[in-house]
Amino acid sequence: MAHRGRLNVLANTVGKSYGEIFHEFEGNLDPAVIEGTGDVKYHLGASGKHTARSGREIAVSVASNPSHLEAVNPVVEGIVRAKQDLLTAGTAADEHGSAPVLPLLIHGDAAFAGQGVVAETLNLSQLAGYRTGGTVHLIVNNQVGFTTAPDYSRSSTYASDVAKMIQAPIWHVNGDDPEACVRVARLAFEFRQTYGKDVVIDMWCYRRWGHNETDEPAFTQPIMYARIKDRPSVRKLYTEALVNRGDLSLEDAEKVLETFRGRLQRAFDEVKGDSETPEVERQHPARLDQDPPVETAVDTGTLRTLAERLAEVPEGFNVHPKLTRWLAGRAEALETDKPAIDWAMGEALAFASLLSQGRTIRLTGQDTRRGTFSQRHAALVDQRTGAQYVPLAELGPGRFMVEDSLLSEFAAMGFEYGYSVGDPDALVLWEAQFGDFVNGAQIIVDQFLVAAEDKWMQRSGLVLLLPHGYEGQGPEHSSSRVERFLQLAAHDNIQVAVPSTPAQYFHLLRRQALRGVRKPLVVATPKSLLRLPAARSGGEELAAGRFAEVLADPEGPEPGKARRVLLCSGKVAYDLHRHRQETGTDDVAIVRLEQLYPFPAAGLKAELDRYGDAEPVWVQEEPENMGAWRFVHLSAERRLGLRLRGITRDEGAAPATGSPTIHDQQQRHLVEQAFKARK
Ligand SMILES: Cc1ncc(C[n+]2csc(CCOP(=O)(O)OP(=O)(O)O)c2C)c(N)n1
């Protein structure tokens, strides 16, 4: 829910005591959140128990949310789906009416009509991979958004009209009539329970005061506020109705009011002047460097068995002819002496091994089952019947879920973020079609992914897979904007990695699933490397070692002979290797920074020390004002006292050129510059 009405919900639905609420208003900090930045009290989540009149207890959680109205909607749906999957092993949410966790979203009228994520989240509601058995939406419609009247804030007749897109029933109800509201709430709930679909209650009310304590609403809505001033409150109107109906005597009504005021006053008096903070167990944002290393290697025998099983299809299943060969290649990938594990196979083996260790995996994104680059084929489709077969889903005990998402980034990533919060033990991955499109989910990144632990102690191990690389595909298919994640990195809030081999990706995914600490992981994933023969790994690389944050140069010059060390990440390393080989250069080393954040200062220093006085140079494909350059430059100086020279594309307003010819020229120039002797 949004900020308005939150204290009411905390007190009356979640069961937070008035004393605790007053305590927070007195300015006492809750020690549970003082380690991070914390947040204003209207944003903090809470959990409690609501006791129904029947005596039945219902666990209630209010999700932490940022100011960004409606952004929490997909997050809540993801949390709910994860909890439902945990409770029912993924079955109940698919059966109408039996989903055991109820998502309830409380909206403002202006936000419901105006924020696109509302439509995106409604669009999730009936998709198999996302449904939660129906959400109850409650619009607290106070007929104004801050100072803006409905005529200026929507083109639709009703604030709720966007919900018509999913044929949801919508009840418009008078907020001044509490009994009508209760009746409609019951109907809405019954509908949700019966049909497993979303419902909307549009409760028409008014806002008695301004937008906040100091606001003067009559500046902009004088006529409305003159009427509101003369209108008795809901409580008064309802009391009158009850008294007139003979359901309540005037004396009893006054007694109830007095008793309630007395309760509030006592709670307030007890808290007033009380500067002592209650004893609450302290939590700290987790540190990555204190997380013990985990074993990510998998023995060859197990890998072989997994590879064979990944290549199996059921009897009589008609695989596409092009995939028959591909499947056979998978079965053989561990049987040859040559490196034969490509990117998709490295990923599949990481997943398969985790599933066999009992881990739950959920992978979603646009066209993710096949893979944007036709590389994954996580779901095989029978060419005669259209039936689907997911080899990884057969590799339990862990549960494997893979879904093509709706064409959304905001709600789609928000949902997965929520899922990762709702089931912290699952490996949850969201994949962008191309890394560039991740900015459609920037609010989820800024407000949840990088900041939620600091603000709310809310932890997530969500993995973002962001295809990245300069391959002449134009300004919008080149960059996952790694610079933005690096700018947002602080206090070990995220991990940013650019693995350059299938084995590195394998170990990275396994590290993420198996390590003790939950932190989001942003991975710049490759495109052309998916098929580049030089970018394959051998089985022995999966059967030993772990993710190398800094990858040494296996073919580098003798330590004393290097005149330069090229530092880089990702695809450009292969371009540099090729150039070095083609030119017979023997005095330049190529060292890959496979993890950018947390910055692997010690590992980098160890590598550089091997090459003595050689000149360290950072090389990247991105323009000078993008990519990791400024981050690496600053980190190397601060952490190692090292001054790096940077070789980059010229600064750019857009990430890349639209011309393949210019791209080729730029790329050639970049690689040549990296090797060129300095005058
Ligand atoms: C995404 C976003 N944009 C702008 C704001 C600033 N803002 C805070 S409240 C508000 C008005 C909201 O109106 P409505 O949805 O009707 O809810 P109400 O405050 O009236 O309950 C605005 C614009 C915000 N919090 N989030």
Side-chain angles (χ1 to χ4, degrees):
M1 67 175 302
H3 38 274
R4 198 179 304 286
R6 199 168 184 112
L7 298 179
N8 171 29
V9 168
L10 291 180
N12 296 312
T13 309
V14 180
K16 193 164 181 171
S17 74
Y18 293 120
E20 281 174 272
I21 292 172
F22 283 135
H23 199 271
E24 287 170 6
F25 268 88
E26 282 295 283
N28 298 319
L29 282 170
D30 180 344
V33 297
I34 59 173
E35 287 298 326
T37 56
D39 203 344
V40 299
K41 46 194 162 287
Y42 301 104
H43 294 167
L44 298 176
S47 292
K49 279 213 160 48
H50 180 76
T51 309
R53 254 189 262 174
S54 64
R56 193 170 160 196
E57 284 192 334
I58 300 165
V60 186
S61 314
V62 179
S64 297
N65 66 280
S67 260
H68 295 59
L69 291 165
E70 309 291 342
V72 80
N73 300 358
V75 176
V76 168
E77 299 296 338
I79 293 173
V80 169
R81 176 63 186 246
K83 290 187 174 183
Q84 286 180 351
D85 283 353
L86 283 170
L87 285 169
T88 65
T91 55
D94 297 342
E95 291 161 17
H96 288 172
S98 53
V101 183
L102 170 72
L104 168 60
L105 293 174
I106 306 181
H107 313 269
D109 50 309
F112 195 77
Q115 291 291 307
V117 72
V118 171
E120 288 191 28
T121 308
L122 289 168
N123 202 18
L124 291 171
S125 65
Q126 286 308 306
L127 304 179
Y130 299 88
R131 63 181 161 223
T132 49
T135 298
V136 176
H137 298 269
L138 172 62
I139 303 171
V140 182
N141 184 348
N142 58 19
Q143 307 181 65
V144 66
F146 196 175
T147 68
T148 303
D151 280 354
Y152 293 86
S153 72
R154 61 175 193 258
S155 295
S156 57
T157 305
Y158 293 102
S160 53
D161 279 349
V162 63
K164 288 180 177 170
M165 66 183 260
I166 54 159
Q167 313 284 315
I170 300 166
W171 280 279
H172 306 282
V173 61
N174 180 4
D176 263 359
D177 183 344
E179 289 177 4
C181 292
V182 169
R183 177 143 188 265
V184 159
R186 288 200 173 124
L187 279 171
F189 180 63
E190 272 175 41
F191 181 92
R192 184 268 179 188
Q193 294 298 87
T194 308
Y195 298 106
K197 291 190 172 169
D198 285 26
V199 282
V200 180
I201 302 169
D202 178 17
M203 185 170 73
W204 284 64
C205 325
Y206 58 86
R207 188 185 69 195
R208 181 159 290 274
W209 312 107
H211 181 71
N212 55 35
E213 292 84 344
T214 55
D215 201 35
E216 169 51 86
F219 286 151
T220 48
Q221 271 79 21
I223 298 162
M224 185 181 183
Y225 275 85
R227 286 203 192 159
I228 290 171
K229 204 166 154 231
D230 291 340
R231 184 157 181 85
S233 70
V234 190
R235 187 188 56 76
K236 273 199 185 138
L237 286 176
Y238 189 48
T239 307
E240 261 172 45
L242 288 175
V243 171
N244 289 343
R245 261 172 19 196
D247 290 345
L248 189 71
S249 69
L250 206 52
E251 298 77 56
D252 281 351
E254 269 163 19
K255 229 188 274 165
V256 170
L257 183 62
E258 275 318 302
T259 312
F260 182 65
R261 283 205 176 125
R263 262 175 76 194
L264 283 184
Q265 192 61 50
R266 272 195 305 283
F268 185 66
D269 292 342
E270 275 166 26
V271 165
K272 218 172 161 200
D274 171 14
S275 59
E276 265 183 40
T277 43
E279 271 303 308
V280 181
E281 196 187 332
R282 262 169 202 244
Q283 286 186 300
H284 304 260
R287 289 275 301 273
L288 280 162
D289 58 0
Q290 288 166 4
D291 193 31
V294 285
E295 185 64 61
T296 55
V298 176
D299 69 89
T300 313
T302 307
L303 288 171
R304 280 205 173 118
T305 312
L306 294 173
E308 276 163 25
R309 293 198 54 195
L310 283 170
E312 280 168 10
V313 289
E315 206 44 41
F317 192 90
N318 301 292
V319 178
H320 190 283
K322 284 192 183 158
L323 295 182
T324 315
R325 247 183 322 152
W326 179 80
L327 279 171
R330 290 202 135 177
E332 290 156 14
L334 282 130
E335 308 299 331
T336 78
D337 291 338
K338 281 191 293 188
I341 297 169
D342 65 10
W343 198 267
M345 184 59 169
E347 178 188 87
L349 286 169
F351 290 162
S353 57
L354 289 166
L355 293 166
S356 68
Q357 286 173 266
R359 293 291 164 149
T360 297
I361 298 175
R362 181 180 158 95
L363 167 66
T364 64
Q366 291 154 24
D367 309 288
T368 280
R369 292 188 309 163
R370 190 201 73 172
T372 297
F373 311 100
S374 211
Q375 83 282 14
R376 181 174 290 123
H377 301 289
L380 299 166
V381 183
D382 186 302
Q383 295 300 297
R384 274 192 219 132
T385 65
Q388 309 212 1
Y389 177 70
V390 180
L392 282 161
E394 307 298 317
L395 287 174
R399 179 157 183 247
F400 182 69
M401 292 164 270
V402 62
E403 299 289 342
D404 290 340
S405 78
L406 71 170
L407 212 168
S408 142
E409 284 77 27
F410 191 167
M413 189 205 284
F415 189 96
E416 301 313 326
Y417 171 81
Y419 200 102
S420 71
V421 171
D423 183 358
D425 288 333
L427 177 65
V428 185
L429 309 100
W430 176 82
E431 184 174 59
Q433 183 112 77
F434 282 84
D436 312 66
F437 302 118
V438 72
N439 57 8
Q442 196 65 46
I443 291 176
I444 298 296
V445 172
D446 289 349
Q447 305 307 322
F448 293 91
L449 198 79
V450 302
E453 188 178 12
D454 230 24
K455 294 193 289 190
W456 315 315
M457 287 296 157
Q458 181 164 286
R459 291 185 179 144
S460 158
L462 180 65
V463 181
L464 305 187
L465 301 177
L466 309 178
H468 176 96
Y470 279 59
E471 290 158 3
Q473 290 174 293
E476 274 87 52
H477 292 89
S478 299
S479 174
S480 63
R481 298 293 203 164
V482 74
E483 63 275 8
R484 295 203 179 140
F485 292 100
L486 294 173
Q487 188 205 33
L488 295 168
H491 296 159
D492 281 5
N493 58 344
I494 50 171
Q495 309 157 84
V496 182
V498 195
S500 66
T501 70
Q504 279 281 83
Y505 183 43
F506 171 89
H507 288 295
L508 178 67
L509 290 176
R510 286 183 48 77
R511 181 182 81 171
Q512 179 69 357
L514 299 173
R515 75 184 317 169
V517 165
R518 288 282 162 263
K519 296 278 181 181
L521 168 65
V522 181
V523 190
T525 58
K527 296 176 291 170
S528 62
L529 299 192
L530 296 172
R531 292 193 170 74
L532 187 75
R536 293 199 181 133
S537 298
E540 71 288 351
E541 294 175 71
L542 279 54
R546 51 172 58 103
F547 176 68
E549 296 174 357
V550 180
L551 203 57
D553 186 346
E555 302 148 10
E558 297 284 307
K561 286 200 183 151
R563 76 177 154 90
R564 183 173 298 164
V565 183
L566 298 178
L567 302 172
C568 61
S569 288
K571 191 210 99 198
V572 75
Y574 290 89
D575 296 343
L576 296 171
H577 272 273
R578 200 180 316 115
H579 186 87
R580 185 171 70 178
Q581 205 173 22
E582 283 169 3
T583 54
T585 306
D586 62 2
D587 55 0
V588 174
I590 301 164
V591 171
R592 305 180 203 179
L593 237 62
E594 304 267 308
Q595 177 171 293
L596 294 166
Y597 189 85
F599 188 69
L604 178 60
K605 181 172 183 319
E607 266 318 298
L608 290 175
D609 284 352
R610 286 179 48 186
Y611 296 107
D613 292 336
E615 180 201 13
V617 173
W618 175 257
V619 188
Q620 69 175 29
E621 300 178 302
E622 296 88 343
E624 191 263 347
N625 54 323
M626 298 176 194
W629 161 233
R630 290 180 181 176
F631 171 82
V632 172
H633 183 48
L634 202 66
S635 302
E637 186 162 1
R638 275 207 192 138
R639 304 280 303 277
L640 301 173
L642 193 70
R643 279 199 80 83
L644 291 177
R645 188 158 67 85
I647 294 183
T648 68
R649 279 183 164 76
D650 287 344
E651 67 169 20
T657 171
S659 151
T661 311
I662 297 175
H663 163 82
D664 287 344
Q665 284 169 3
Q666 289 176 342
Q667 196 76 5
R668 235 185 347 263
H669 179 70
L670 187 88
V671 171
E672 284 166 7
Q673 286 301 308
F675 287 89
K676 205 167 163 186
R678 290 189 87 181
K679 286 181 198 130

